[in-house]
């Protein structure tokens, strides 16, 4: 199934269209779990260079080894029943924050390393801006998600660099099996020609088209779902292999630090541990008013009871 994906135009965040754009972002996080960002402020020439360097690195150092692998050989055999629990991908992972491993990865040129670091520095600013906008839409302090993700040294940032190679039998294997992302905010720079990414929405798989004009595709992970108390869902997704081309995927994860303690934002929780009698007492004076302030008042009453019991 192909349907229009929500597009958040960052140019619309200034001026009279800000409220409408914030509402669109909120709906995308609540109802979709994924969206595209346009006019994001990242240097598009830099993005093109990142893609070119990744493609060249794959062609020179990784492609041959992939097609000589046991996965490919097993797919070419007559008995293909035992290959469903594998992923048709060539990939490596770069850590950026709080510390970097980029100098430890074999065969990366100095130009590759410097270009990637320049790109990531700009992308982190976009991730932080998105975290502020999401926090604001949830009624939290703008810095809430960033602070929740920060351990002693700040949030964790890493990039999965992947190619989903041309596949002779795409009906037999997944490029990447169905999953949700474990972390926080995922920012994807993907192929502008070859499709394959699919997200699950309303009982159907939605095909995500290639990203034109270097838009950034964003999805939310499990930790955003937890922090938002389920308001913002992490969406199930997968990659389907292609018979007629290889797909590029550069996915950067803006995640909680390993020592970050994650829990739902207290402001987003329903009140708990109160007596129904207390609720009825408050209800009798607020019955014909909006329920939201009433529920907030019950949180304070419930917290008072918990302090007395502790």
């Amino acid at each position: 199934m192909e349907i229009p994906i929500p597009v958040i135009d960052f140019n619309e965040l200034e001026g009279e269209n800000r409220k409408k754009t914030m509402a669109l972002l909120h709906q995308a996080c609540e109802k979709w779990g994924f969206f595209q960002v346009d006019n994001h402020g990242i240097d598009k020439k830099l993005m093109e260079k990142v893609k070119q360097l990744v493609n060249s690195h794959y062609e020179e150092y990784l492609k041959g080894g992939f097609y000589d692998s046991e996965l490919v050989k097993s797919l070419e055999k007559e008995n293909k029943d035992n290959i469903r629990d594998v992923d048709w991908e060539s990939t490596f992972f770069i850590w950026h924050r709080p510390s970097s491993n980029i100098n430890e990865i074999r065969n990366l040129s100095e130009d590759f390393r410097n270009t990637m670091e320049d790109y990531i520095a700009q992308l982190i600013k976009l991730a932080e801006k998105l975290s502020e906008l999401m926090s604001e839409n949830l009624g939290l302090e703008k810095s809430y998600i960033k602070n929740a993700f920060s351990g002693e040294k700040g949030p964790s940032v890493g990039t999965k660099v992947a190619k989903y190679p041309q596949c002779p039998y795409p009906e037999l294997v997944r490029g990447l099996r169905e999953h949700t992302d474990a972390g926080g905010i995922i920012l994807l720079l993907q192929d502008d020609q070859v499709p394959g990414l699919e997200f699950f929405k309303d009982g159907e798989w939605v095909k995500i088209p290639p990203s034109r004009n270097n838009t950034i595709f964003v999805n939310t992970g499990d930790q955003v779902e937890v922090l938002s108390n389920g308001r913002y869902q992490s969406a199930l997704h997968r990659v389907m292999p292609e018979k007629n081309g290889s797909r590029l995927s550069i996915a950067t994860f803006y995640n909680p630090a390993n020592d970050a303690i994650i829990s739902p934002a207290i402001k987003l929780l329903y009140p708990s541990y109160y007596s129904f009698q207390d609720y009825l007492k408050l209800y009798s004076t607020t019955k014909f008013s909006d329920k939201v302030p009433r529920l907030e008042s019950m949180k304070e009453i419930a917290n008072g009871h918990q302090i007395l019991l502790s």
Side-chain angles (χ1 to χ4, degrees), residues 1 199-206:
M1 179 177 71
F199 271 72
F200 197 67
K201 175 174 168 50
D202 299 332
E204 295 188 72
W205 286 103
V206 176

Side-chain angles (χ1 to χ4, degrees), residues 17-221:
N17 289 328
R18 187 179 195 278
K19 184 176 181 180
K20 179 180 177 181
T21 304
M22 289 293 286
L24 179 61
L25 174 62
H26 188 55
Q27 182 183 48
C29 292
E30 272 195 324
K31 306 297 184 184
W32 295 69
F34 55 95
F35 52 90
Q36 296 182 83
V37 178
D38 199 8
N39 294 313
H40 40 63
I42 299 173
D43 186 337
K44 293 195 174 184
K45 289 183 179 179
L46 180 62
M47 297 170 77
E48 283 296 326
K49 187 175 182 181
V50 168
K51 292 192 291 185
Q52 179 264 316
L53 287 168
V54 170
N55 280 327
S56 296
H57 178 79
Y58 168 75
E59 291 290 332
E60 185 171 358
Y61 297 108
L62 302 176
K63 183 177 180 179
F66 177 82
Y67 283 109
D68 285 338
S69 68
E70 289 300 318
L71 168 61
V72 176
K73 292 175 183 177
S74 66
L75 197 67
E76 292 172 343
K77 294 176 182 178
E78 290 186 7
N79 182 7
K80 306 180 181 71
D81 293 334
N82 298 321
I83 60 172
R84 296 191 180 278
D85 293 332
V86 294
D87 301 312
W88 187 268
E89 64 175 356
S90 174
T91 182
F92 60 95
F93 199 90
I94 305 172
W95 286 108
H96 309 289
R97 306 285 189 278
S99 59
S100 173
N101 72 339
I102 198 167
N103 291 324
E104 302 167 15
I105 300 172
R106 294 179 58 193
N107 300 319
L108 295 186
S109 68
E110 183 177 358
D111 192 24
F112 188 115
R113 294 194 299 269
N114 292 338
T115 302
M116 181 62 76
E117 285 302 295
D118 289 344
Y119 169 66
I120 291 301
Q122 295 188 28
L123 197 67
I124 289 174
K125 292 180 181 178
L126 174 59
E128 290 177 342
K129 180 64 176 178
L130 282 167
S131 76
E132 291 177 356
L133 297 174
M134 291 179 187
S135 295
E136 183 180 344
N137 268 338
L138 289 166
L140 305 171
E141 294 182 3
K142 289 174 64 174
S143 61
Y144 187 90
I145 291 177
K146 180 180 179 180
N147 291 341
F149 281 8
S150 295
E152 290 186 359
K153 299 180 180 180
S156 174
V157 182
T159 297
K160 178 184 176 182
V161 180
K163 287 285 285 190
Y164 295 94
Q166 189 170 352
C167 182
Y169 305 103
E171 69 280 1
L172 296 176
V173 69
R174 294 278 190 268
L176 184 61
R177 286 164 288 171
E178 293 81 354
H179 66 288
T180 61
D181 288 324
I185 301 172
I186 298 84
L187 305 100
L188 173 65
L189 173 58
Q190 66 164 342
D191 207 289
D192 59 6
Q193 298 292 327
V194 181
L197 180 63
E198 297 183 355
F199 271 72
F200 197 67
K201 175 174 168 50
D202 299 332
E204 295 188 72
W205 286 103
V206 176
K207 295 181 179 180
I208 307 301
S211 292
R212 308 294 185 188
N213 300 317
N214 283 321
T215 56
I216 293 288
F217 185 87
V218 178
N219 67 282
T220 48

Side-chain angles (χ1 to χ4, degrees), residues 149 181-184 220-228 234 255-256 262-263:
F149 281 8
D181 288 324
T220 48
D222 295 344
Q223 304 316 305
V224 170
E225 181 169 334
V226 172
L227 285 175
S228 67
S234 60
N255 283 352
I262 304 299
S263 63

